[in-house]
Structures are given as structure tokens and as C-alpha cells.
Amino acid sequence: MPVFTQPLEPIGSSLALSALVAAIPLALLFVLLGVFKVKAWLAAVIGLVVSILIAIVGWGMPAMMTFSATAEGIFYGAFPIMWILLNAIWVYQLSVITGWFEQLGKLIRSISDDQRILAILIAFCFGALMEALAGFGAPVAISAAMLMAAGMKPLKAAVVSLLANTAPVAFGAMGAPIIALSSVTGIDIHILSQMAGRQTPFVAFVVPLVLVFLVDGMRGVKQTWPVALVAGVVFGVAQFITANFITVEITDVIAALVTIAVVLGMLRFWKPANPLPLDHSSIEETDSAKAASGKLDHYPEITATGGKHLWGAIAPYAIIVAVFSVSQIPAVKAFLLGIGQVKFPWPGLAEIGADGKAASLIMNASGNPVMTTVFTLDHIRATGTLLLLSGIITAIVYKIKPGDAVRAYGSTLKQLRFTIITVLSVLGLAYVMNLSGQTASLGFALASVGSIFALMSPLLGWIGVAITGSDTSANSLFGLLQATAATQAGLSPVLMAASNSSGGVMGKMVSPQNLAVAAAAVGMMNKEGEIFRKVVGWSLVLLAYFTVLVLLQAGPLAWMVPPVTP
């Protein structure tokens, strides 16, 4: 089959002009969502169609290859992305039909009835733990559902959960982003972990303060700044210590657990004045809000007290944590990897070579094969599969009838129908842009600015995560480009590569994929644009804040960059 080589300057033989054209699909998607308030699924489909046309007409990608790239992106959107969300929401629905979801809300309110405190404990602390163990969309979906259970309005729960899912992302999914970054750049994983561990704490310091501002404005900041500051500092310090002196895989696990313990301990001796109470009566009438009272009649009223009540309320989330923790035990992880991982060349994009190995049919501008054409199906130990297992265990613990569990699954699938279209279209767009070379043209244009590349590096990571919805994917996409451009500009490749990961996390809250996850979790399907308008400003503000840090680390704070040993 013919080989396609990605052109860098297909439009007018100009890198700048090519980059502007390459940015059209993503810019169009955001404009349709944020300005024209087009439904997310329709905006995503339009963006996908435009990216396909640009790939074929502008970048000269063969039509069959372009459609095959679209199909690969759609399949990746279904598995693992939608597989994760579908099973995460199903676990939540199981607690709804038995009445335990309402009990969880009561339990959460018994810890604190202050929305600002719960934003820190659930979205920031528990969300970080879920990011550490599961990653992808699970932290946003689960923490948003828990905040709604407590009584926070759906829109606020979605926005808070999205914004909280920043500080832990660079070390999420057991260090997957840093591991991927090391593999594509060749830089020692411990050095990259050290550098990221000297950047992300500065994000962690401010995120809890931003959360309480989102929940209650300046009043909230004035009244809760001690606990917000403690949470941010403890999390950041724990990240720094673990990333620099222990190991990258458990950085967020330790940071989250330590922060939860410290915050709960602090609340025993200090509580903010004039709390902002949770109010169920003011919750918007959304599908998910209505489902909160969707207990099935044939399940008995819950009368458990004490330890049984505590366990019943937290059972789904305790089970999720336990299942994911066991899956990370080295022997278990190796076993699941051995029986469950399948790699195969994607039809039309790769083929089996004479040596019996998969060979890509797409080359980047440097003549190297683009390896995303070889698909890895990690179905057994996938996050979604582990969530499915957690749901089955939850159904057994709650003594849910198999028929009810299956009907709840079907109801979840119906609830997510528009979200599925959105996510599949966005991932199709991302794969078309990546495999045709549109993303590379955009990246190389930003990397061609010379000595001021330090200013562009976090932006490049932000774009990567905004397109793909994944810090791991963004590192695989732009990591080597960052390191190469840094060397050419006389900057530290360690600093710039790590900045791709640490800066990219600010783009996760505006990724259409994650917006769709948040909207689905709180029952606001087709209102992703409304959520986007609430978070985009904060995404850009935090990106600018982080860019200042990178500039300082490239200059007067260069001593913070770990040396690369020969």
C-alpha cells in the first residue's frame, strides 16, 4: 500500500499559513460551543467534517486513509473513553435505584454542609485520588455526581469538578503522562518526574482557592482561605516530595491521601464562619437531578445506622478504589497485561511487514513512522473494564436484581446518547488532525519562534490536551517536538518537555471530550457550551500563570531544573 508522508507547509509553502489553516477545526469547535451556543454533538460533527476536508484538500492525505483515521479515532473514543464514562455513570445509577445515592448525600453533609469545604474535599482531594487510580474522565464524572448527591447545583458541580481536575493530571493514571513523555523523548523518567514535581505544586497551591471563589466569590475566599491554602500547600508539597524522592507512579496517590487526612484533621479544630449551605430545593431540574430521587419501589427503605450506613453509602467508591488499587499491584498488573493486551495495525493506516511486525503507512515530516497507526486494545485492565467490575461487585453488595442492573445500564446508555456522538466525533477530529499532519504543522509553527519558545511551550501542551483530552496523548504528540525545539533554542529540553505535560493540564477542562463527560455526569447533555463558557477564562488564566513560572524557570529560577547526568 502507498505510504503517506505528512507535509509541514502544505498551504502556500508557508508554515505560518499552514498552522492557521490547521487550527480551523479546533477553533471552529470552540467558537460554535462558546459563541454561537451550538449543541456539543453538532459542533463536534461539524468540526470533524471540516478537519476531514482540510486533511484531504489541504494536506493531501488520501481519502481512504483520512476516513480510516476517522474510524480509528471514533473507535478510540468508544474504547476506552466512552467505555470509562458509561461504566462510571452506571455505578452511580446503581446507587440511585437502591436509594443509597441519597444516603451518600446525607453522609457527605454530615462531614460538612458547606459547599466550599466539599468542593475541596470531593473535587480536589477525592478527585485527585480518582485521577491517580483511574484517570481519563472518571474523576470528573464521579466527583461531580458526589457533589450533586450532597446538594450542589449541577452546573456548579460540573465546573468545580473540571477545574479541580488540573493539579493531579500530570501524574494521573499511575504516572502515565510522565511515562509516555519519557518514552518519546528518551529523557530519564526520574528527571522528568523531578521537573514536573517542581512545577505542578505551584498549580496545586492556587486551585483550592479558585474552587472556593467559583463556589462563593470573594466572600468564600475570605472565609475559607486557611483550609484552601492548607489543602493546596499540603498537596503540592506531597507531590514535590514523592515525584522527586520516591516514585512517579504513586505521586498523586500519596498527595491525595495525605491532603484528605490533613484537611479532615483541620476541620475537627477549625470551621469557616458563615458556611454556604447546600440546598436541594434549588437544584436545577435536570435528568440527573430527577434521577437522584429515582429509587425503585421494590428496594426496602434504608434504615441502617452506624458502620453499616457508612459502608453502604460509600460502597461504590470504596469498591472502585479497592479494585483499582489491586490492579496496580505489580504481579496483578503484569498478569492482566499478559492476558488482555492486543496490538494490531489499523486497517488502511498500517500493515504487517516482511519481518512480521506492524509497520506504519504514515510518516511524519522527518520520515519517521507515526506509531498511533498501530492500535493497542488493552481491554482487560482498561479503566472502563475495572469500573464495570466495580459495578458488578456493587450490584452484588447492594443485592440488586440482575434485571434491574441491566435496565440501569440500558438507561445509562440512553442518557449518554448525545454525549457518545460528541466524544466519538471529537476523537475522530483529533485523529484526523494528528495523522494528516495538521497538528504537527500547528506545533512546529509554535516551536519555530526561537528564544521565546519558553513562552510557547505551555501553550503547545495546552493545545495538545485541548485536542486529545488526554495529557498522556499530548505528551506522545508533542513531547519530542518540545525537547527538540528547546535544544535548538538553547533552552533546557527537560524543562520544555515537562512544561508540555504540566502546562497541558490546564487544557483538560476545555477539551470537548471532558466537557461532554462533565455534562453527562450532571445531566446537562447538550449544554456543554454553557459549561465551556464558565471554565475557558479560568483555563487561560491558569495557563498564563503557569507560563510565567516556566519563563522564570528558564531564567532566574534555572536552578530548579534538575541536571541531566550523562
Side-chain angles (χ1 to χ4, degrees), residues 371-441:
M371 294 313 298
T372 49
T373 57
V374 179
F375 198 92
T376 300
L377 186 61
D378 208 0
H379 52 291
I380 300 297
R381 71 184 188 106
T383 299
T385 304
L386 295 177
L387 284 169
L388 176 64
L389 176 60
S390 301
I392 293 171
I393 296 173
T394 298
I396 294 171
V397 169
Y398 281 164
K399 299 179 180 179
I400 298 174
K401 295 179 180 179
D404 289 339
V406 172
R407 280 188 287 273
Y409 205 95
S411 175
T412 302
L413 192 59
K414 181 179 178 181
Q415 175 189 347
L416 295 177
R417 60 191 183 280
F418 291 113
T419 303
I420 292 172
I421 296 173
T422 302
V423 171
L424 300 193
S425 299
V426 167
L427 266 297
L429 178 152
Y431 268 69
V432 170
M433 288 186 65
N434 295 346
L435 292 175
S436 66
Q438 294 173 57
T439 304
S441 296

Side-chain angles (χ1 to χ4, degrees), residues 450-484:
S451 59
I452 63 169
F453 180 61
L455 188 65
M456 297 289 105
S457 178
L459 175 61
L460 191 55
W462 185 93
I463 290 173
V465 177
I467 293 174
T468 65
S470 164
D471 201 41
T472 302
S473 298
N475 285 345
S476 299
L477 190 63
F478 287 143
L480 181 58
L481 175 62
Q482 291 267 18
T484 302

Side-chain angles (χ1 to χ4, degrees), residues 56-312:
I56 296 173
V57 178
W59 266 252
M61 190 179 196
M64 289 306 297
M65 271 191 171
T66 305
F67 293 126
S68 184
T70 305
E72 186 182 11
I74 288 173
F75 187 83
Y76 184 80
F79 193 96
I81 305 302
M82 280 310 305
W83 183 234
I84 294 169
L85 181 59
L86 178 62
N87 289 306
I89 300 297
W90 178 57
V91 173
Y92 150 70
Q93 290 286 4
L94 293 178
S95 66
V96 169
I97 65 175
T98 54
W100 278 110
F101 185 69
E102 185 179 350
Q103 300 303 313
L104 175 65
K106 293 179 180 178
L107 176 65
I108 292 172
R109 291 191 294 276
S110 72
I111 297 172
S112 175
D113 63 352
D114 191 327
Q115 293 190 48
R116 303 163 303 186
I117 299 299
L118 294 183
I120 295 172
L121 272 174
I122 296 174
F124 183 71
C125 298
F126 185 74
L129 181 60
M130 291 307 305
E131 178 66 37
L133 296 172
F136 295 95
V140 171
I142 292 172
S143 61
M146 292 179 72
L147 287 171
M148 279 189 59
M152 188 176 286
K153 289 183 178 181
L155 177 60
K156 187 180 289 185
V159 170
V160 166
S161 298
L162 280 167
L163 201 138
N165 192 222
T166 47
V169 169
F171 294 101
M174 305 305 289
I178 301 298
I179 294 170
L181 187 61
S182 175
S183 69
V184 299
T185 61
I187 301 173
D188 182 76
I189 189 172
H190 182 60
I191 292 174
L192 288 172
S193 175
Q194 287 180 316
M195 187 67 252
R198 301 173 192 189
Q199 293 178 320
T200 56
F202 291 94
V203 179
F205 293 163
V206 301
V207 166
L209 291 168
V210 175
L211 293 180
V212 297
F213 180 82
L214 282 172
V215 172
D216 195 27
M218 281 307 300
R219 171 183 177 269
V221 175
K222 290 177 182 178
Q223 293 181 359
T224 62
W225 69 264
V227 68
L229 194 60
V230 165
V233 169
V234 170
F235 190 91
V237 170
Q239 267 193 330
F240 167 76
I241 293 173
T242 311
N244 278 269
F245 304 109
I246 305 178
T247 181
V248 63
E249 288 86 354
I250 61 172
T251 295
D252 279 346
V253 175
I254 290 178
L257 292 176
V258 170
T259 307
I260 290 171
V262 171
V263 170
L264 287 176
M266 181 177 178
L267 291 175
R268 295 187 64 181
F269 305 101
W270 176 91
K271 294 186 185 298
N274 303 315
L276 182 66
L278 295 152
D279 182 9
H280 274 291
S281 64
S282 64
I283 295 180
E284 299 170 16
E285 287 297 316
T286 63
D287 293 340
S288 192
K290 293 174 183 176
S293 59
K295 178 180 176 295
L296 297 180
D297 293 337
H298 54 265
Y299 287 99
E301 292 300 323
I302 295 169
T303 57
T305 57
K308 288 185 178 181
H309 183 268
L310 172 63
W311 161 244

Side-chain angles (χ1 to χ4, degrees), residues 523-540:
M524 292 183 65
M525 280 72 72
N526 296 324
K527 294 184 179 179
E528 290 86 350
E530 187 176 349
I531 300 173
F532 171 75
R533 289 189 292 275
K534 291 286 186 180
V535 298
V536 63
W538 288 107
S539 178
L540 296 174

